[in-house]
Amino acid sequence: LSQDIINEMLSLVFEIAPSTTQELAKLISSRTQGNSFHVVQFLEYHCNKGHDQPVKKWDAEKIIRQVDFTKNHIPLEEKFRALSRDALEALQVGACIGSWFPTSIVKQVMRFDNLDKELQAAVNHGLVEAGEGGYCFLHDQIRDFALPPESARNAVHLTVGRFLSEEVLGTTDNTEEYLVFLAVEQLNRGSTMVTYQDEKNAIAFLNMKAASDSL
């Protein structure tokens, strides 16, 4: 988005003259490089800052007053910093699974039962949405931000894959078929860290099982 388009958008959202939002539009344009997703994230973060729940009406003057023009704030980074360590680790595991991740799998992989309580802050910050049986990242860029560093990503994939492989071996119903495919995907992504031949053989078996189930 160009600075002029951002300014027009701000004028319409705040219902004030474009001349009033020019300074804010310039700031947002420089901080987001015109990325529409980050524009909305920037506004949501600074409008909701200091509130437990999202506010319904945004205030342009409030944003201008509270933004430090000398610092390059990244709204997503600020939102993630507000989360607990357990919540961050849960989101990392969830992001490795996909845009939607089942609550039961993350709970068992991480070995704690208070996942919903930990992730409530992530829901409040507009990072994920709770649904039946799991959570969904509200944007692909949020999921990308939640992923663990590349140096640690394969280890997470392998951990998830190992857990799932123990759960699905020898099962045949439709629910477990989904878990077979997920287990294979996770194990394949983490396979570079597998050193024992027995485990390599088990991964090969699961790949064959997934191929057979897909026929």
Side-chain angles (χ1 to χ4, degrees), residues 33-195:
Q33 280 72 55
N35 182 295
S36 58
F37 170 73
H38 290 302
V39 169
V40 174
Q41 286 287 308
F42 188 98
L43 289 170
E44 286 184 341
Y45 171 74
H46 287 290
C47 284
N48 294 325
K49 192 174 182 180
H51 297 274
D52 293 331
Q53 299 294 330
V55 297
K56 294 183 179 180
K57 186 173 179 58
W58 292 349
D59 184 342
E61 293 183 359
K62 174 189 173 185
I63 294 177
I64 294 174
R65 285 197 307 270
Q66 71 180 17
V67 172
D68 185 343
F69 281 65
T70 66
K71 293 184 179 180
N72 188 24
H73 292 288
I74 303 175
L76 271 183
E77 184 176 322
E78 296 288 342
K79 289 182 178 183
F80 275 85
R81 283 179 181 172
L83 303 180
S84 68
R85 180 177 179 179
D86 284 344
L88 289 172
E89 291 180 355
L91 290 179
Q92 287 185 342
V93 173
C96 283
I97 293 174
S99 297
W100 178 83
F101 55 93
T103 304
S104 58
I105 294 176
V106 177
K107 278 184 176 180
Q108 294 181 64
V109 168
M110 297 195 63
R111 293 184 170 88
F112 66 76
D113 296 324
N114 59 342
L115 180 65
D116 293 327
K117 179 181 178 181
E118 292 294 340
L119 290 184
Q120 186 57 49
V123 173
N124 292 343
H125 283 296
L127 299 173
V128 295
E129 182 177 43
E132 184 176 354
Y135 289 82
C136 178
F137 287 101
L138 291 180
H139 196 281
D140 287 341
Q141 292 189 41
I142 296 176
R143 181 199 170 197
D144 290 343
F145 200 93
L147 284 167
E150 288 190 17
S151 59
R153 203 169 298 172
N154 286 347
V156 177
H157 285 305
L158 186 58
T159 299
V160 175
R162 283 171 171 168
F163 164 75
L164 290 172
S165 67
E166 294 176 358
E167 295 291 309
V168 303
L169 284 173
T171 58
T172 57
D173 60 60
N174 290 334
T175 300
E176 301 300 345
E177 283 181 11
Y178 157 73
L179 295 182
V180 170
F181 288 112
L182 183 57
V184 167
E185 177 193 29
Q186 296 296 307
L187 287 170
N188 288 342
R189 290 186 175 187
S191 61
T192 56
M193 301 191 68
V194 177
T195 56

